[in-house]
């Protein structure tokens, strides 16, 4: 495989100065300046050589048209990692940190052909049964619960205290999780996302999902887990678990980042903060801005050419991971060559949700959750602002996401009157009957779901 010799010099601080042809996407330099790396990679053509993790080579698509070509041609570019030549030849370490995000699982994200169609139909049909009014009410309750844990403090990390927890708690309801299983699901997913004792977290997650599937086999309900199980596709228990991992995992991390990245704009960009970020339209505009310019999943959707192909003038060997850079494709200079700017041509033309047969099936619920969560926070804490200058915010390293490490904020703390606990059966929410604020405290780590259920019953 040959690369054009006219590729630009790597951006300042880029380890590619000393590491050969492939540009590493796993260090703090990339997290600090991804657009500089994408601009360098465009010097190779529509795709360029990258290193996703030490020893894991891939080609990154930075061109919008080429990205659409890959995404819309599944017969040429397969998703099943059995086509990944380096992996099948033992040249990828089995403990590589990117392997869990790329290796085959029997779900609709990593399958092709008839198997993909069968699994995808079960997922889309089940998601279509979501009652958006019920989900909206639950987002509002979860948001109120989380805000109630910190609104008396005058400060919060809007990621750890809000954006990270809210999608997980909402999904626990959508998937019909009882308290104890829901607590362990949150613990498992949080450990995987945070990289804390990942092996143990994965064990907890798998066992919890197995128990959830067993429970719903015996006691189905009005939830996504039961609907998947009842679908005519006839999913096995193993397939059920892997669809749930995909749906909950792929739904929570991107939604968390979407909420956080939009809040960053709303609290720092004069275009939004000048209006004190209270108008609903500004929230939707900020989310659209993020989807174009800072998509929560920046680089993903590994495809594997089933034979040697050319993308533009670049030869790509069969079995090479071809990763789509949604962030780079959205900022392709070809889109913004007009004076109006590419984003103004069509708000929905971005690739943040993917395209083709593997486009995100849950974009509508994710957007609704994000909009409602942001509006609830800003309306509840109208004077909220960043606690540090925006240029001091740090981004989490990693090749796949665009995710802040923390989003510290400050606001006027809410005074909470001391009140005696309401008698049993008294004090339900209603006009003139507020909740006793001093009888609750933040739940122990790992007990957020049962804590929410208890809070809501007060």
């Amino acid at each position: 495989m040959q690369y054009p010799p006219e590729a630009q010099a790597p951006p300042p601080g880029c380890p590619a100065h000393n590491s050969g042809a492939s540009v590493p996407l796993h260090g703090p330099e990339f997290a600090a300046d991804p657009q500089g790396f994408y601009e360098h990679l465009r010097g190779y053509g529509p795709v360029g050589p990258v290193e996703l993790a030490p020893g894991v080579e891939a080609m990154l698509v930075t061109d919008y048209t080429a990205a659409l070509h890959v995404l819309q041609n599944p017969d040429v570019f397969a998703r099943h990692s059995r086509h990944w030549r380096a992996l099948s030849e033992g040249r990828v370490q089995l403990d590589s940190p990117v392997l869990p995000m790329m290796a085959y699982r029997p779900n609709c994200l990593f399958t092709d052909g008839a198997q993909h169609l069968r699994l995808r139909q079960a997922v889309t049909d089940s998601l279509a049964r979501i009652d958006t009014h019920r989900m909206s009410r639950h987002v509002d309750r979860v948001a109120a619960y989380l805000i109630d844990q910190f609104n008396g403090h005058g400060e919060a990390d809007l990621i750890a205290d809000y954006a990270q927890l809210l999608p997980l708690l909402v999904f626990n309801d959508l998937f019909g999780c009882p308290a104890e299983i829901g607590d362990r699901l949150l613990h498992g997913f949080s450990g995987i996302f945070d990289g804390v004792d990942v092996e143990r977290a994965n064990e907890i997650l798998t066992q919890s999902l197995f128990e959830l599937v067993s429970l719903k086999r015996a006691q189905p309900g009005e939830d996504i887990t039961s609907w998947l199980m009842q679908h005519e596709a006839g999913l096995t228990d193993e397939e059920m678990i892997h669809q749930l991992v995909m749906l909950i995992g792929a739904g929570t991390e991107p939604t968390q980042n979407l909420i956080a990245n939009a809040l960053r704009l709303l609290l720092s960009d004069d275009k939004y903060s000048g209006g004190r970020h209270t108008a609903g339209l500004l929230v939707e505009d900020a989310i659209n801005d993020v989807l174009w310019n800072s998509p929560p999943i920046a680089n993903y959707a590994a495809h594997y050419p089933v034979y040697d192909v050319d993308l533009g003038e670049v030869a790509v060997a069969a079995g090479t991971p071809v990763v789509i850079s949604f962030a780079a494709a959205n900022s392709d200079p070809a889109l913004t060559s007009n004076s109006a700017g590419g984003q103004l041509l069509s708000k929905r033309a971005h690739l943040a949700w993917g395209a083709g047969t593997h486009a995100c099936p849950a974009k509508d619920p994710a957007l609704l959750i994000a909009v409602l969560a942001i509006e609830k926070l800003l309306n509840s804490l109208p004077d909220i602002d960043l606690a540090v200058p925006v240029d001091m915010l740090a981004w989490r390293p990693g090749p796949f996401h665009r995710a802040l490490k923390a989003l510290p904020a400050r606001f006027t703390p809410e005074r909470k009157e001391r009140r005696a606990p309401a008698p049993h059966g008294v004090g339900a929410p209603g006009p003139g009957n507020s909740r006793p604020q001093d009888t609750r405290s933040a739940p122990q780590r790992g007990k957020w779901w049962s804590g929410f259920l208890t809070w809501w019953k007060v």
Side-chain angles (χ1 to χ4, degrees), residues 139-140 143-144 147-148 150-151 158 162 263 266-267 275-284 370-385 411-412 414:
V139 173
D140 185 80
I147 293 168
D148 188 61
F150 58 74
N151 62 3
L158 297 182
Y162 193 69
L263 281 171
L266 287 160
L267 298 179
R276 293 315 302 156
H277 42 258
T278 56
L281 285 178
L282 286 182
V283 172
E284 294 183 9
V371 169
L372 294 175
I374 294 170
E375 289 180 349
K376 181 70 172 183
L377 178 75
L378 299 182
N379 290 333
S380 300
L381 304 171
D383 67 343
I384 192 169
D385 208 344
F411 45 86
T412 300
E414 178 181 318

Side-chain angles (χ1 to χ4, degrees), residues 291-374:
L291 292 172
W292 267 105
N293 301 308
S294 190
I297 299 299
N299 310 295
Y300 196 49
H303 291 72
Y304 307 92
V306 297
Y307 50 79
D308 295 352
V309 297
D310 287 329
L311 282 174
E313 299 179 352
V314 183
V316 182
T320 301
V322 176
V323 175
I324 306 298
S325 178
F326 305 113
N330 285 350
S331 60
D332 184 346
L335 293 182
T336 56
S337 58
N338 299 321
S339 58
Q343 290 92 322
L344 298 181
L345 299 178
S346 172
K347 287 187 175 182
R348 298 183 179 181
H350 62 74
L351 296 181
W353 303 111
T357 58
H358 286 278
C360 176
K363 69 175 183 177
D364 291 336
L367 279 172
L368 181 59
I369 291 169
V371 169
L372 294 175
I374 294 170

Side-chain angles (χ1 to χ4, degrees), residues 26 50-58 84 86-87 91-93 96-98:
H26 48 82
V50 296
E51 185 183 62
L52 301 176
V56 181
E57 304 285 332
W84 187 359
L87 181 64
R91 292 185 281 119
V92 175
Q93 296 295 319
S96 171
V98 299

Side-chain angles (χ1 to χ4, degrees), residues 105 185 201-211 241 245:
R105 297 175 186 268
L185 278 180
N202 188 59
E203 291 177 3
I204 293 172
L205 177 63
T206 302
Q207 180 61 30
S208 300
L209 289 173
F210 178 80
E211 291 177 20
I241 290 172
V245 168

Side-chain angles (χ1 to χ4, degrees), residues 25-91:
L25 303 187
H26 48 82
E29 297 87 357
F30 171 70
D33 182 26
Q35 287 298 332
F37 280 64
Y38 301 146
E39 186 61 28
H40 163 65
L41 284 162
R42 289 191 181 100
Y44 290 92
V47 295
V50 296
E51 185 183 62
L52 301 176
V56 181
E57 304 285 332
M59 297 294 285
L60 189 74
V61 182
T62 58
D63 177 271
Y64 185 92
T65 301
L68 278 178
H69 176 71
V70 173
L71 292 167
Q72 295 176 343
N73 285 275
D75 293 338
V76 179
F77 298 94
R79 289 302 304 270
H80 198 310
S81 60
R82 70 170 180 267
H83 298 281
W84 187 359
R85 180 171 294 174
L87 181 64
S88 63
E89 294 176 353
R91 292 185 281 119

Side-chain angles (χ1 to χ4, degrees), residues 135-166:
M135 187 176 75
S136 298
R137 291 193 299 270
H138 188 61
V139 173
D140 185 80
R141 292 193 293 261
V142 168
Y145 164 64
L146 294 174
I147 293 168
D148 188 61
Q149 308 306 313
F150 58 74
N151 62 3
H153 301 159
E155 60 182 13
D157 176 359
L158 297 182
I159 294 179
D161 297 332
Y162 193 69
Q164 185 181 56
L165 292 166
L166 187 140

